[in-house]
Amino acid sequence: MDQTNLIILGAQWGDEGKGKIVDLFSERFDIVARYQGGHNAGHTVEVGDRRFILQLIPSGILRPGKTVVIGNGVVIDPGALLQEMETLEAAGIQVRGRLLVSHRAHVIFPFHRMMEKASETRPGQVRIGTTSRGIGPAYEDKIARRGIRIADLLDSETFCAQFEQIVREKQLIARALQIEEPLDFAEMRSRYLGYAERLRPLVADVALYVNRAMDQGRRVLFEGAQGTMLDIDHGTYPFVTSSNATAGGASTGVGVSPARIHAVVGVSKAYITRVGEGPFPTECDDQAGQTLRQRGQEFGAVTGRPRRCGWFDVPLLRYTSTINHFASLVVTKLDVLDHLSEIPVCTAYRHRGSLLDEMPALARDLEQIEPVCETLPGWNWPTAGLRDYSELPPAAQSYLQYLEDRTGVEIGCVSTGPQRDQTILRPGSKLAKLLG
Ligand code: IMP
């Protein structure tokens, strides 16, 4: 098989089950690279009777022998990263020697969380419903060219000078906004200098490493966090995260040319969920939505917040496929729909009486959209754990065929449960060929 480098990313608003899929497919790759976001992500992976929630470390870490890298596009809370490493190592997973962290990734500090809390709670501010991890303010500092990168943190002289400057600025803002939260900056500085020593052995020029590995024919899987509709440029702005969760983010967030990446695979639930504020055309806030939440265990892996649930949204998926050019789609949590005798699917949006062909940019328009739904027969039959497409009830196959026809994207894989083997990879699909 020729070298094929793939991106796997969320086709909806995150939480599509990418963790399991990356873990599963990483068997066929040498390196798994995370390219954006931070510890706002929560990738749940079940292996046997063990359940792992990975926030920063790519899901490939659960496959012995694979190298995992955290690219420059990720924002890193060193305390969270070290904690995650310790948890994995305590569970017998070897991390040291297999994880590399980009020296160009930006660092999250406690004052970022403080700023985020202030902007989420200040009267009159639009509340985004963030994960409160300081992600947005850390990216703000990066774009404003005053952020502190891992490379800076490792050079104590550079770090102390930059830290003093940024602290002065944060203190000014805190005073102006009357933020009362006491932060001990001297303690913070020495704590971060301590983190630097613990991180030093992992830090590398990840872009160089990945490019050289590709030169040698090693295969790379790029792991997206969050989802396309949370992308800072293409999502439901301003109700988005602060990074590029879309395919382009893989290139800038690791330092690999798009010309070296061969295909993009989207992951979508058989329905849809969203956490936090913002428009959600197919949201189901009645009993049917609650049942989906219960059956799908739709509670945030990081924050525990109940996820908002709704029906599969075809126009949304067509949009996210356009932005990412999906070669194939993985549909997860099909079994959550097993109880239904009828399944609504949104096929179009109506806005002020007319049908929309394109995804509106204004959040207000998206809030006002009415989903036009078609109702498909359910299968009322257990599909949990099925491993062969032909074992799926005919109505489940028709449902998937309908989604495929309407979205124009092949469904190459179906997940029927959280375990690795509760998966149907369709033989002969583009995805099966890409995986080799
Ligand atoms: P932030 O990324 O913490 O700034 O949050 C911005 C928005 O993205 C909020 O609506 C969050 O709920 C959402 N979000 C961030 N990370 C995830 C994720 O991993 N899954 C689902 N939603 C997320």
Side-chain angles (χ1 to χ4, degrees):
M1 170 81 198
D2 290 342
Q3 182 197 44
T4 307
N5 303 310
L6 276 192
I7 302 173
I8 295 196
L9 57 78
Q12 298 169 323
W13 274 291
D15 306 317
E16 297 92 349
K18 299 177 291 292
K20 167 188 159 166
I21 301 304
V22 171
D23 164 68
L24 188 69
F25 294 169
S26 59
E27 193 185 8
R28 314 189 189 207
F29 292 81
D30 302 296
I31 297 169
V32 183
R34 174 77 189 270
Y35 59 86
Q36 44 73 233
H39 64 316
N40 48 350
H43 295 157
T44 309
V45 185
E46 288 189 20
V47 183
D49 56 3
R50 297 199 298 174
R51 187 165 186 262
F52 301 91
I53 296 179
L54 299 160
Q55 294 191 262
L56 275 162
I57 301 180
S59 308
I61 197 74
L62 302 176
R63 296 272 179 189
K66 307 294 173 188
T67 301
V68 298
V69 305
I70 297 180
N72 56 280
V74 176
V75 283
I76 298 176
D77 180 325
L81 176 59
L82 290 162
Q83 174 71 54
E84 194 172 326
M85 286 172 62
E86 274 166 25
T87 308
L88 284 171
E89 287 186 333
I93 312 283
Q94 190 205 331
V95 180
R96 272 157 243 265
R98 295 179 52 215
L99 167 67
L100 296 178
V101 176
S102 168
H103 59 351
R104 290 193 170 88
H106 279 247
V107 179
I108 301 180
F109 290 89
F111 48 74
H112 289 130
R113 282 198 298 277
M114 174 182 85
M115 292 297 161
E116 179 169 353
K117 195 165 140 201
S119 87
E120 283 283 274
T121 52
R122 206 167 332 124
Q125 278 281 117
V126 176
R127 216 180 86 80
I128 307 296
T130 67
T131 59
S132 318
R133 299 293 190 269
I135 305 293
Y139 278 116
E140 278 178 46
D141 280 343
K142 170 178 174 172
I143 298 301
R145 295 163 297 188
R146 58 174 171 246
I148 297 179
R149 301 167 309 159
I150 296 282
D152 306 320
L153 177 64
L154 295 195
D155 185 89
S156 60
E157 210 175 302
T158 306
F159 171 63
C160 289
Q162 287 181 332
F163 187 76
E164 200 179 307
Q165 204 178 338
I166 203 164
V167 160
R168 222 177 299 130
E169 192 207 77
K170 300 301 172 201
Q171 282 172 323
L172 269 178
I173 299 174
R175 227 169 290 135
L177 297 179
Q178 297 174 322
I179 300 172
E180 302 286 322
E181 195 172 325
L183 284 180
D184 181 343
F185 290 106
E187 181 279 330
M188 199 186 296
R189 185 181 48 209
S190 61
R191 182 153 45 95
Y192 273 67
L193 284 168
Y195 289 151
E197 290 323 304
R198 292 168 66 195
L199 289 177
R200 196 178 293 281
L202 315 173
V203 177
D205 186 332
V206 160
L208 201 63
Y209 176 85
V210 173
N211 278 287
R212 285 196 177 143
M214 285 176 163
D215 292 343
Q216 291 159 7
R218 295 174 77 201
R219 299 182 71 184
V220 183
L221 181 62
F222 295 85
E223 174 181 22
Q226 289 83 45
T228 301
M229 296 308 286
L230 288 172
D231 180 277
I232 184 77
D233 285 280
H234 302 286
T236 45
Y237 193 88
F239 303 99
V240 291
T241 191
S242 301
S243 61
N244 284 116
T246 42
S251 178
T252 53
V254 176
V256 169
S257 162
R260 305 198 86 168
I261 305 176
H262 304 96
V264 185
V265 173
V267 184
S268 151
K269 281 178 187 158
Y271 48 102
I272 191 165
T273 62
R274 151 159 230 178
V275 207
E277 307 298 321
F280 184 174
T282 64
E283 181 166 16
C284 218
D285 42 20
D286 55 9
Q287 185 56 46
Q290 279 179 35
T291 309
L292 284 180
R293 185 174 311 123
Q294 289 308 327
R295 287 184 55 86
Q297 281 304 295
E298 296 295 357
F299 299 91
V302 174
T303 58
R305 291 181 291 177
R307 296 181 185 139
R308 299 156 65 190
C309 298
W311 304 118
F312 192 95
D313 185 332
V314 168
L316 180 143
L317 206 116
R318 288 180 68 91
Y319 171 72
T320 63
S321 182
T322 301
I323 298 296
N324 297 297
H325 193 66
F326 294 140
S328 189
L329 195 67
V330 177
V331 171
T332 61
K333 294 191 144 182
L334 183 72
D335 54 301
V336 172
L337 305 182
D338 284 353
H339 64 297
L340 293 167
S341 48
E342 289 187 328
I343 309 173
V345 174
C346 166
T347 54
Y349 296 149
R350 190 175 287 118
H351 186 236
R352 298 194 180 136
S354 25
L355 288 183
L356 280 187
D357 290 327
E358 277 130 35
M359 183 64 73
L362 274 183
R364 192 169 51 108
D365 287 351
L366 261 171
E367 292 281 7
Q368 292 168 352
I369 270 172
E370 287 166 54
V372 179
C373 286
E374 241 176 77
T375 303
L376 271 67
W379 43 94
N380 244 315
W381 191 262
T383 63
L386 294 185
R387 295 173 202 185
D388 199 303
Y389 200 80
S390 62
E391 289 174 17
L392 289 174
Q397 292 190 19
S398 304
Y399 181 73
L400 294 169
Q401 185 64 53
Y402 181 88
L403 301 188
E404 211 173 61
D405 294 344
R406 285 303 188 119
T407 60
V409 188
E410 158 197 286
I411 296 176
C413 178
V414 182
S415 169
T416 56
Q419 293 284 331
R420 282 176 177 165
D421 61 359
Q422 295 176 315
T423 312
I424 301 168
L425 178 62
R426 296 176 76 179
S429 61
K430 273 192 232 164
L431 180 60
K433 287 185 195 124
L434 285 167
L435 291 172

